[in-house]
Amino acid sequence: MDDATGAPAHATQPPPHPCASAPAEQRRRRRALAGPGIVLAATAAGVTLVSVVDPHEPGHYPTCPFLWATGLYCPGCGGMRMVNSLTHGRVWEAFGLNPMVFLLLPVFAYLWARWTACAAKGVPFASALVRPRVIYPFLGLIVVYWIVRNLPFAHALAP
């Protein structure tokens, strides 16, 4: 009995509103979506730069360090020219510049969308594609692609 009416103190306070934690929840979701947002912004900036500054012309970008040091193509060689070709609608040319990365673009898009959806729902990111039983064979595939694209008979895989 703490007030003038003789009612207990807890009886005079209104119950908490069901949406009282909404601002905290909104902040948490904004923080969770920051990662996918930053990745999207960086990707958009990179694609825009590569679209505008043509990597097909020498001197606009540094040479791939692995190509420069060894004379061999790395798994990513041709990737910037592939992006440039895609942004200009030359799909078949883009495929020829780096077929592996070209074929992985939908996988990357799916993983990003899944990450974003999980962040928006407030659940941890999970996908069968990022489990060891998928990742290790995928890394093996990258190594095989790296080797094969540098062999004389596989000139179609060279950028």
Side-chain angles (χ1 to χ4, degrees):
M1 311 251 177
D2 293 327
D3 65 3
T5 63
H10 68 278
T12 60
Q13 297 174 355
H17 190 272
C19 295
S21 66
E25 179 66 20
Q26 288 173 349
R27 281 192 304 273
R28 186 199 58 76
R29 286 193 183 194
R30 274 196 300 265
R31 267 187 260 120
L33 289 169
I38 290 168
V39 168
L40 179 62
T43 301
V47 167
T48 301
L49 175 66
V50 171
S51 175
V52 173
V53 182
D54 191 356
H56 292 90
E57 296 180 21
H60 288 183
Y61 297 97
T63 303
C64 168
F66 186 79
L67 178 63
W68 175 82
T70 65
L72 301 172
Y73 300 118
C74 77
C77 278
M80 286 197 308
R81 287 178 283 147
M82 179 201 70
V83 170
N84 179 273
S85 294
L86 272 177
T87 60
H88 290 93
R90 299 186 305 264
V91 177
W92 189 246
E93 178 183 313
F95 176 78
L97 290 166
N98 196 321
M100 185 181 71
V101 173
F102 181 89
L103 293 174
L104 287 173
L105 289 175
V107 176
F108 297 147
Y110 164 77
L111 289 172
W112 178 84
R114 175 99 178 175
W115 179 26
T116 304
C118 288
K121 292 177 185 174
V123 298
F125 172 76
S127 173
L129 295 178
V130 293
R131 297 206 173 125
R133 69 174 187 259
V134 175
I135 294 292
Y136 293 136
F138 174 69
L139 293 174
L141 175 68
I142 290 174
V143 170
V144 169
Y145 176 74
W146 193 343
I147 293 168
V148 171
R149 83 184 309 208
N150 286 291
L151 297 176
F153 68 84
H155 65 278
L157 295 177

